[in-house]
């Protein structure tokens, strides 16, 4: 069978895993649908576009990305509408960001048409895996890695692009306690912090574990030079309502340019909120918490959507934020975004892509 839009070879499973499952496990990223998409970059072009049953991949122990980390990924979500259609949120933005990451990691770029059509065909084929419920969605994980077999340090000459799908519930089940990290760094200016590459996440694990042992769910990273400016949070960008204004760190080479971040800033500006993308100083957050004018803090990301921050640890002192039910902006935005993604709001920016 060939997909209508691109030459994608499709081989389907003989029997869906869903038929055997009593209930889908909705913990984030634990369950995978029946199929996956695979394409290879060889001799300067993308070939062998294929959807096939979800299965293990075999590779040589000398495969380059295992050693030198040419590995990038994206995260996006599909939601069901009340009528049973499926809408994917801003896939073009993810296609563009994947290629920005590819350029930084010296990897092959992927044509937008392959990115979009592979996802569309895969989601369509596995559409019955869409979970029910307002906080559930079909999480889409596209990723690419260097596949040439060699041990010299140079860009791989071959790449593989894949997409897998995972029916998922909320990433954080409750508001998070975060610690402002001033010992370790996630990224530095001129580094790869703005690329969605695996090494950035590996670098975050030990500091996050130390934070976890100290009672925090996540970290708020600061700049590597001075540890005085907020950068982003573990799996999300960070936003604050300070003195009635929405403030967020401006993007840089050390901060991931989040698509949820961009969506929220666009909508907030449309709503007439005062929005500032700028340096956000640890000292002003501390002062804001002491004076009671830092009224909301939240992480924003595809997986996390809007994750309320209940407490911020600064230099060994914990500051408690106002109760979640009193947070006008982030509650209104979370509700609006959820409705938008499910087709219940106008879509003036053409962010929704129907499958
Ligand atoms: C996403 O929000 O899609 C992400 O990629 C974060 C992830 C590492 C859980």
């Amino acid at each position: 069978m060939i997909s209508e839009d691109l030459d994608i070879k499709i081989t389907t499973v003989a029997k869906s895993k869903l038929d055997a499952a009593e209930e889908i496990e909705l913990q984030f990223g634990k369950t995978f649908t029946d199929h996956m998409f695979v394409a290879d970059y060889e001799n300067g072009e993308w070939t062998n576009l294929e959807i096939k049953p979800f299965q293990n991949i075999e590779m040589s122990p000398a495969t380059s990305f295992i050693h030198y980390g040419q590995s990038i990924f994206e995260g996006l979500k599909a939601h069901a509408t009340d009528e049973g259609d499926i809408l994917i949120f801003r896939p073009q933005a993810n296609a563009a960001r994947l290629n920005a990451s590819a350029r930084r990691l010296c990897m092959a770029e992927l044509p937008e048409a392959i990115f979009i059509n592979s996802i569309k065909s895969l989601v369509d084929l596995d559409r019955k895996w869409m979970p029910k419920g307002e906080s559930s969605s079909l999480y889409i994980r596209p990723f690419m890695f260097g596949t040439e077999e060699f041990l010299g340090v140079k860009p791989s000459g071959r790449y593989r692009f894949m997409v897998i799908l995972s029916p998922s519930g909320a990433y954080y089940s409750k508001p998070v306690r975060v610690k402002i990290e001033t010992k370790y760094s996630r990224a530095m200016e001129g580094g790869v912090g703005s690329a969605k590459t695996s090494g950035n996440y590996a670098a975050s694990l030990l500091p996050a574990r130390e934070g976890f042992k100290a009672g925090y769910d996540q970290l708020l990273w600061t700049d590597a030079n001075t540890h005085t400016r907020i950068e982003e949070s573990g799996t999300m960008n960070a936003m604050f309502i300070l003195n009635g204004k929405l403030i967020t760190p401006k993007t840089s080479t050390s901060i991931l340019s989040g698509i949820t971040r961009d969506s929220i800033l666009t909508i907030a500006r449309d709503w007439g909120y005062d929005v500032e993308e700028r340096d956000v100083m640890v000292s002003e957050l501390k002062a804001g918490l002491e004076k009671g004018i830092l009224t909301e803090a939240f992480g924003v990301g595809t997986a996390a959507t809007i994750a309320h921050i209940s407490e911020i640890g600064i230099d060994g002192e914990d500051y408690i934020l106002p109760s979640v039910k009193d947070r006008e902006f982030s509650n209104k935005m979370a509700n609006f975004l959820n409705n938008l993604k499910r087709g219940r709001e106008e879509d003036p920016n053409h962010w929704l892509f129907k499958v």
Side-chain angles (χ1 to χ4, degrees):
M1 190 175 24
I2 298 289
S3 145
E4 294 160 15
D5 308 298
L6 270 186
D7 243 8
I8 302 178
K9 182 179 166 211
I10 300 180
T11 311
T12 54
V13 289
K15 190 168 163 36
S16 171
K17 287 181 285 187
L18 262 187
D19 300 341
E22 284 178 4
E23 215 175 292
I24 307 180
E25 161 72 89
L26 283 183
Q27 206 181 323
F28 179 82
K30 284 262 179 157
T31 304
F32 304 101
T33 65
D34 286 324
H35 300 94
M36 64 187 194
F37 175 85
V38 189
D40 286 314
Y41 180 84
E42 289 165 3
N43 302 318
E45 58 178 3
W46 286 97
T47 60
N48 308 328
L49 278 57
E50 191 174 357
I51 288 178
K52 55 182 168 185
F54 186 97
Q55 59 195 264
N56 290 347
I57 48 179
E58 231 178 60
M59 62 184 75
S60 157
T63 303
S64 62
F65 89 94
I66 302 174
H67 302 272
Y68 304 123
Q70 276 189 304
S71 164
I72 57 178
F73 70 96
E74 277 301 318
L76 58 163
K77 278 180 175 171
H79 293 84
T81 68
D82 298 325
E83 294 74 39
D85 289 324
I86 293 185
L87 300 172
I88 303 177
F89 191 63
R90 302 193 70 179
Q92 287 93 345
N94 291 89
R97 191 173 63 181
L98 181 86
N99 281 336
S101 300
R103 286 191 293 276
R104 181 63 186 86
L105 273 286
C106 207
M107 298 167 73
E109 291 187 42
L110 183 84
E112 186 189 81
I114 298 182
F115 187 90
I116 302 284
N117 284 301
S118 60
I119 290 173
K120 184 178 158 219
S121 307
L122 188 62
V123 169
D124 195 19
L125 186 62
D126 280 346
R127 60 190 305 135
K128 66 179 178 193
W129 284 85
M130 174 64 74
K132 300 209 167 22
E134 286 294 296
S135 57
S136 302
S137 59
L138 195 57
Y139 184 78
I140 304 165
R141 171 54 64 87
F143 55 107
M144 192 203 294
F145 48 95
T147 50
E148 197 175 335
E149 295 152 20
F150 67 96
L151 293 181
V153 179
K154 69 171 181 76
S156 174
R158 294 204 305 266
Y159 295 92
R160 176 159 294 183
F161 171 70
M162 299 185 64
V163 184
I164 55 175
L165 307 176
S166 175
S168 295
Y171 193 84
Y172 295 109
S173 53
K174 59 176 183 42
V176 289
R177 297 183 76 216
V178 299
K179 178 183 108 171
I180 296 191
E181 179 61 55
T182 51
K183 174 176 156 197
Y184 295 106
S185 300
R186 170 189 172 272
M188 79 292 290
E189 267 175 54
V192 295
S194 63
K196 210 159 171 61
T197 182
S198 352
N200 286 331
Y201 295 83
S204 73
L205 298 177
L206 176 69
R209 183 195 274 168
E210 289 186 12
F212 191 71
K213 281 188 189 149
Y216 299 98
D217 305 299
Q218 263 305 342
L219 303 176
L220 266 176
W221 296 104
T222 50
D223 69 287
N225 281 338
T226 65
H227 293 297
T228 56
R229 282 179 277 125
I230 299 293
E231 296 228 302
E232 59 175 82
S233 187
T235 53
M236 327 173 267
N237 292 113
M239 293 191 178
F240 307 89
I241 300 287
L242 180 65
N243 226 350
K245 288 183 185 158
L246 174 63
I247 63 167
T248 192
K250 62 176 190 286
T251 51
S252 70
T253 52
S254 56
I255 296 179
L256 188 80
S257 185
I259 293 160
T260 306
R261 173 188 181 281
D262 178 73
S263 308
I264 291 175
L265 296 180
T266 305
I267 296 165
R269 286 188 173 111
D270 281 355
W271 284 351
Y273 275 84
D274 235 335
V275 175
E276 291 181 359
E277 290 177 74
R278 59 166 173 83
D279 285 343
V280 174
M281 310 306 291
V282 175
S283 55
E284 66 179 317
L285 296 187
K286 190 170 175 208
L289 286 160
E290 282 163 355
K291 288 189 206 144
I293 54 168
L294 181 65
T295 48
E296 303 186 33
F298 49 101
V300 306
T302 298
T305 57
I306 290 187
H308 297 288
I309 294 174
S310 55
E311 234 171 295
I312 305 183
I314 309 177
D315 293 335
E317 186 136 356
D318 291 331
Y319 296 84
I320 298 179
L321 278 113
S323 155
V324 166
K325 66 176 177 21
D326 298 329
R327 300 187 184 192
E328 189 198 316
F329 177 83
S330 44
N331 283 326
K332 182 172 152 192
M333 182 60 77
N335 203 23
F336 181 82
L337 267 180
N338 184 46
N339 284 333
L340 175 69
K341 290 174 181 174
R342 293 173 193 277
R344 300 175 190 140
E345 296 285 350
E346 291 289 303
D347 175 28
N349 300 300
H350 308 291
W351 284 342
L352 298 171
F353 185 91
K354 190 169 163 182
V355 175

